[in-house]
């Protein structure tokens, strides 16, 4: 919109940056104040104090990267600063990487959109695929980090096995929806997502070479 003269890019970027920095600071302060009370609670069905201890260790080791990358992950960006406060991450480190993440997210992306809007005619036609692409690319690093752990991979396999393969009705419904989405992706600007149709066919019991390749790759990784 700014590239087409409807908004002022400087005002937008300054506003976004301030909101990003102060917003995460509010989350950190909230987590910092709530955290001590959580640590004093007894273990219950919905609360496990060991998870808080793990969070503290995680933010000691990976806090800076988590704060920066969380900016680009929907929903996770809301909870990352709160967890940093709960885990008592050093505030100076948090603030430094909070500002760095805000620069990339709230300054880098708007300026990227601004220059794309100037360089590509009718950029609005490609807006949705661009947004989806940004979400996928920003999700890949943490997903790779999770899948590197054999225990996490086994846990995910168990979850999908129990959720889909042990529930025929849910498996068929999911398979049909994925096939429909994959076919639609062939005729609209979502072509990179047409591959989900192969997963849908697999869930419906129609074996394809696609998942055989994935299984072969997974065996090599294990």
């Amino acid at each position: 919109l700014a590239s087409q003269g409807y908004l002022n890019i400087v005002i937008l970027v300054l506003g976004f940056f301030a909101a990003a920095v102060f917003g995460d600071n509010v989350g950190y302060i909230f987590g910092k104040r709530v955290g001590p009370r959580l640590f004093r609670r007894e273990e219950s069905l919905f609360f496990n104090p060991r998870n808080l201890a793990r969070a503290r260790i995680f933010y000691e080791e990976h806090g800076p990267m988590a704060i920066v990358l969380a900016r680009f992950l929907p929903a996770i960006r809301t909870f990352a600063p709160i967890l940093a406060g709960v885990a008592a991450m050093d505030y100076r480190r948090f603030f430094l990487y909070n500002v760095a993440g805000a620069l990339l997210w709230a300054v880098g992306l708007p300026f990227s959109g601004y220059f794309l809007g100037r360089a590509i005619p009718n950029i609005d036609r490609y807006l949705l695929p661009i947004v989806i692409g940004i979400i996928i690319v920003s999700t890949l690093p943490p997903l790779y980090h999770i899948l590197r752990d054999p225990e996490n991979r086994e846990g995910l396999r168990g979850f999908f096995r129990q959720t889909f393969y042990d529930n025929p009705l849910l498996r068929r419904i999911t398979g049909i929806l994925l096939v429909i989405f994959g076919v639609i992706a062939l005729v609209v600007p979502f072509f990179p997502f047409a591959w989900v149709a192969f997963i849908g066919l697999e869930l419906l019991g129609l074996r394809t070479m696609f998942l055989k390749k994935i299984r072969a790759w997974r065996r090599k990784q294990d």
Side-chain angles (χ1 to χ4, degrees):
L1 289 172
S3 71
Q4 304 304 312
Y6 293 103
L7 298 170
N8 186 300
I9 185 63
V10 175
I11 295 175
L12 283 177
V13 166
L14 291 176
F16 291 161
F17 177 74
V21 172
F22 287 119
D24 270 23
N25 270 275
V26 170
Y28 178 90
I29 293 170
F30 174 79
K32 185 83 169 181
R33 292 190 175 184
V34 172
R37 282 180 285 176
L38 289 176
F39 275 101
R40 288 194 295 267
R41 287 186 58 185
E42 295 181 0
E43 184 173 350
S44 63
L45 178 63
F46 299 103
F47 175 75
N48 188 336
R50 289 191 297 273
N51 290 336
L52 287 179
R54 293 192 189 102
R56 175 169 283 178
I57 294 172
F58 175 83
Y59 274 92
E60 286 176 357
E61 296 179 354
H62 309 289
M65 188 63 68
I67 295 300
V68 173
L69 288 179
R71 290 284 186 188
F72 300 87
L73 302 175
I76 294 176
R77 72 169 67 96
T78 303
F79 297 102
I82 298 175
L83 287 175
V86 171
M89 180 180 177
D90 179 70
Y91 179 73
R92 286 175 295 182
R93 292 184 76 208
F94 169 81
F95 185 80
L96 175 63
Y97 288 97
N98 176 28
V99 171
L103 284 172
L104 292 172
W105 167 252
V107 177
L109 287 185
F111 271 122
S112 297
Y114 180 77
F115 291 118
L116 278 173
R118 287 279 181 115
I120 303 176
N122 300 318
I123 186 66
D124 56 295
R125 297 180 181 178
Y126 314 102
L127 185 60
L128 190 55
I130 289 173
V131 170
I132 294 175
I134 290 172
I135 293 174
I136 291 176
V137 170
S138 60
T139 305
L140 288 178
L143 184 62
Y144 172 75
H145 180 75
I146 292 172
L147 294 179
R148 283 179 59 190
D149 189 336
E151 185 177 342
N152 290 337
R153 291 202 299 271
E154 186 58 37
L156 287 173
R157 282 198 290 265
F159 170 78
F160 284 108
R161 192 180 301 113
Q162 183 178 4
T163 303
F164 293 103
Y165 285 93
D166 295 343
N167 190 328
L169 179 60
L170 180 60
R171 185 175 70 245
R172 283 196 292 270
I173 293 174
T174 305
I176 291 171
L177 291 175
L178 289 177
V179 170
I180 293 173
F181 182 85
V183 172
I184 294 175
L186 290 172
V187 294
V188 295
F190 296 161
F191 182 77
F193 302 99
W195 54 269
V196 301
F198 291 102
I199 298 177
L201 292 173
E202 181 78 12
L203 291 175
L204 292 173
L206 302 174
R207 302 295 177 183
T208 64
M209 293 295 295
F210 181 76
L211 288 187
K212 287 182 179 179
K213 294 288 186 182
I214 293 179
R215 290 194 186 97
W217 174 83
R218 192 177 63 195
R219 283 195 293 270
K220 289 181 180 179
Q221 298 301 310
D222 293 338

